[in-house]
Amino acid sequence: MSKPYVFITRKISEEVLTPLKQIADVQMWNSESEAVPREVLLNEGKKADALLTMLSDSVDEELLENAPNLKVVANLAVGYDNINLEAAAQNEVIVCNTPDVLTETTADLTFGLMLSAARRLTEAHHFVKEGQWKSWSPYLLAGTDVHHKTIGIVGMGSIGTAVARRAKGFGMEILYHNRSRHSVTENELGAVYKSFGELLEGSDFVVCLTPLTEDTKHLFDADAFKRMKSSAIFINVGRGQVVDEEALIYALEHKEIAGAGLDVFYKEPIGADHPLLQFPQVVSLPHIGSASVETRTTMMELCRDNIIAVLEGKKAKTVVGGK
Ligand code: DGY
């Protein structure tokens, strides 16, 4: 009997793949920097029993309806807005993600981005690197404090909770907004539930960690930015499309908010000419929330184990939907 066929849409660790190769023929798109072209992905989908995908791959109706052997899609991310779950269910394909294993790493990045935007770390780095540091002066690259300020977390899932724990260590007041109340965070960290509008009005740092769904698309619109303090810094480590990017640009241009730290963008990747890059008070990162070597390796292992489980007729560990 021939082995099942697994296609991986980006170059990942060969070592991680060893156990998978024992039970399946495995091919991968052999580039670290270039996403798999759509045509290649569609063709591979026609043959594959399993796909290991990236958040940049669109696993849509067209792909899923033309993948007669496909049993599982393991997405190397906690977010799965790139996958049409309804079409997956209709085509009896199991969809898995990588929750929990990236929580602390992504919370570290979120906090780092907040510190960086508040204390102007990237500006300061470029200042030194470009030879501009000629003398010390009291307000040279002076930013704003993070400690003892108010953080407003939109999306109190496990990453939000991990950010709240860090905020507590910095003596911050913690506000949050979420679909449901989070008693653990309220009791243990003193986090206070607020309506979306109250959170925007009361926070020095507004941190977006909510997943992208039909309900959250453009949640941060012109009105949302207007409601924030003019000293507020907006941090987004969720998904770019939760923000109306034109509205964010307008808010920065018109000083409705003081700055931003962005790990995600409306359409990724962005080019060097993207309007958000013109603002010195914006720190921009290339979607690296969970990108530590340890965590990315663990995420790959989880995807691998989920694929092996499904191909062996067992239950995958982290199923988000589909069949
Ligand atoms: C995810 O896993 O969804 C994150 O965005 C990756 O950094």
Side-chain angles (χ1 to χ4, degrees):
M1 212 174 80
S2 67
K3 286 179 171 178
Y5 176 60
V6 179
F7 182 68
I8 302 171
T9 66
R10 198 62 74 91
K11 191 169 162 46
I12 68 166
S13 158
E14 288 283 351
E15 228 171 70
V16 166
L17 294 176
T18 309
L20 181 59
K21 285 183 173 166
Q22 284 163 8
I23 65 147
D25 286 327
V26 181
Q27 289 292 326
M28 71 187 162
W29 177 246
N30 233 335
S31 169
E32 267 171 44
S33 56
E34 189 201 340
V36 64
R38 175 78 181 157
E39 283 315 305
V40 174
L41 178 59
L42 287 177
N43 276 331
E44 293 293 342
K46 287 178 188 154
K47 302 182 279 183
D49 294 276
L51 290 173
L52 195 162
T53 53
M54 309 296 128
L55 51 82
S56 48
D57 302 318
S58 172
V59 182
D60 57 6
E61 206 174 345
E62 184 188 14
L63 188 154
L64 290 159
E65 282 189 349
N66 292 289
N69 304 325
L70 193 60
K71 294 165 193 65
V72 55
V73 174
N75 205 40
L76 190 85
V78 65
Y80 45 88
D81 47 277
N82 58 314
I83 302 177
N84 184 330
L85 285 190
E86 224 170 89
Q90 268 159 18
N91 291 284
E92 306 201 337
V93 175
I94 293 169
V95 178
C96 305
N97 68 342
T98 60
D100 305 329
V101 296
L102 48 64
T103 298
E104 299 298 332
T105 302
T106 309
D108 282 351
L109 188 283
T110 308
F111 223 81
L113 190 51
M114 188 168 80
L115 287 168
S116 182
R119 295 298 306 274
R120 305 174 63 184
L121 301 187
T122 50
E123 267 184 274
H125 171 75
H126 287 294
F127 182 83
V128 176
K129 210 173 163 182
E130 287 157 12
Q132 294 183 57
W133 189 18
K134 304 294 183 210
S135 71
W136 187 90
S137 70
Y139 282 124
L140 175 64
L141 287 156
T144 188
D145 281 328
V146 171
H147 68 88
H148 298 97
K149 293 278 183 70
T150 300
I151 186 172
I153 300 173
V154 179
M156 191 57 95
S158 48
I159 300 172
T161 308
V163 170
R165 265 194 273 111
R166 285 156 178 75
K168 182 151 169 89
F170 274 64
M172 299 179 89
E173 293 255 339
I174 304 164
L175 312 182
Y176 79 100
H177 179 73
N178 200 48
R179 264 181 318 180
S180 52
R181 293 287 283 263
H182 213 272
S183 55
V184 176
T185 322
E186 291 184 18
N187 297 337
E188 288 176 11
L189 302 175
V192 178
Y193 179 86
K194 293 280 177 192
S195 71
F196 184 56
E198 285 167 344
L199 179 144
L200 298 176
E201 284 163 12
S203 302
D204 299 305
F205 297 93
V206 176
V207 177
C208 168
L209 286 165
T210 190
L212 174 63
T213 64
E214 275 175 22
D215 291 337
T216 62
K217 192 165 182 177
H218 288 197
L219 177 67
F220 289 91
D221 57 8
D223 183 52
F225 291 115
K226 277 195 178 58
R227 291 184 82 163
M228 291 183 198
K229 296 182 185 182
S230 58
S231 56
I233 293 182
F234 174 65
I235 305 295
N236 191 5
V237 186
R239 283 291 181 269
Q241 293 191 16
V242 174
V243 177
D244 174 348
E245 225 163 57
E246 296 299 316
L248 173 58
I249 293 165
Y250 182 95
L252 288 160
E253 255 164 11
H254 293 83
K255 309 252 181 293
E256 288 175 355
I257 62 170
L262 308 169
D263 186 42
V264 290
F265 294 86
Y266 204 90
K267 192 169 182 313
E268 298 175 0
I270 60 167
D273 57 350
H274 193 283
L276 280 165
L277 299 179
Q278 71 176 301
F279 299 104
Q281 70 274 36
V282 175
V283 179
S284 303
L285 303 178
H287 203 150
I288 55 167
S290 59
S292 70
V293 174
E294 300 94 316
T295 291
R296 283 284 158 87
T297 305
T298 309
M299 291 163 69
M300 290 171 195
E301 288 166 351
L302 179 54
C303 288
R304 173 204 66 198
D305 291 347
N306 279 331
I307 290 174
I308 292 176
V310 174
L311 294 181
E312 288 183 338
K314 298 181 191 141
K315 204 170 168 339
K317 281 189 201 156
T318 51
V319 175
V320 287
K323 194 173 84 165

